[in-house]
Amino acid sequence: MSPIASIISLERAGARAVDPSAPGNIIRTALAFESIVTVGAGAYFILFPRHYLLHTMGAAPSQVTTTALQLTQQFGAVNLLIGGIVALFIPNTKLAIQTRQTLYSIFLIFELLYMPLLVWQTFMMKGGMSDGSWSTGAGQFVPFVIWRIFVLKCKPEWFGRFQEGVKME
C-alpha cells in the first residue's frame, strides 16, 4: 500500500458517521419548519409593518408611528437572522448534531423569560398594545416551550448522534 493510500485509509478509519439509530430526522424537520416560519414572519414584519401593527397586534392608528414601524422592521430583521441561524443546524454535520441540544436549550430559556415579559407588559403598561394581542403573543410560545421540554427531557436521541470510527458513506 502506498503512503498516500495508507493515510487515506487511516483518515477513513477515524471518520464519523451518523448513527442510524438516531439520525436526527425529527429535529431536522422541526428545525426546517421553525426556520421557514421565522424567516416568513421576519419578512412579514419588514414588508408589512403597518399591517402587522394594526391588524395582528390590534394597535390604534395613532400608535402606528414612524418609530413603531421602524422597530417592527428591525424586529423582522432579527427574525430573519434567527431563522437563518436555525437553518444552519439542519444538516447532519458533526457540529450541527453536537450543538442542536444547546440551541434548543437557549431558545427554551429565552422563551421562558420572554413570555412573562409580555404578560407583565399586558398588565403593567397600560396604553400600549391591546391586552389580547400581548396575551396571544405570549401564548404562541407555549407549544414551542412544551415541544422543547419534551424533546430535551424525553427524546434526546431525536437530535441525532454521530458514531466515532465508522466509515462515512
Side-chain angles (χ1 to χ4, degrees):
M1 181 180 288
S2 74
I4 294 176
S6 61
I7 290 172
I8 292 171
S9 177
L10 287 173
E11 287 177 356
R12 286 185 180 159
R16 297 165 194 91
V18 175
D19 184 344
S21 68
N25 292 338
I26 293 171
I27 290 300
R28 292 174 72 206
T29 302
L31 290 168
F33 172 78
E34 190 165 345
S35 178
I36 290 167
V37 169
T38 304
V39 167
Y44 172 58
F45 299 148
I46 290 171
L47 298 173
F48 306 105
R50 185 176 310 280
H51 186 273
Y52 170 74
L53 291 170
L54 289 172
H55 301 287
T56 305
M57 295 302 293
S62 62
Q63 293 174 312
V64 182
T65 64
T66 301
T67 301
L69 294 170
Q70 291 170 334
L71 287 173
T72 300
Q73 289 177 319
Q74 291 168 17
F75 182 63
V78 171
N79 271 264
L80 291 177
L81 174 68
I82 300 281
I85 290 171
V86 168
L88 295 175
F89 290 82
I90 297 170
N92 258 351
T93 63
K94 180 181 179 187
L95 182 60
I97 289 173
Q98 290 176 335
T99 54
R100 286 175 186 156
Q101 286 180 311
T102 303
L103 175 74
Y104 257 45
S105 297
I106 290 168
F107 281 174
L108 178 62
I109 291 167
F110 169 77
E111 290 159 354
L112 289 172
L113 295 173
Y114 191 66
M115 289 187 321
L117 172 66
L118 294 178
V119 172
W120 177 78
Q121 288 177 330
T122 297
F123 297 110
M124 302 304 288
M125 301 178 77
K126 298 299 177 191
M129 296 298 173
S130 68
D131 290 351
S133 64
W134 288 117
S135 300
T136 301
Q140 75 183 359
F141 287 99
V142 172
F144 291 99
V145 167
I146 292 169
W147 168 253
R148 292 187 208 291
I149 291 171
F150 171 72
V151 174
L152 286 165
K153 297 296 180 191
C154 302
K155 295 293 186 180
E157 68 274 10
W158 285 1
F159 287 102
R161 191 170 35 242
F162 253 77
Q163 295 176 320
E164 298 293 329
V166 175
K167 185 177 176 180
M168 292 180 71
E169 295 180 22

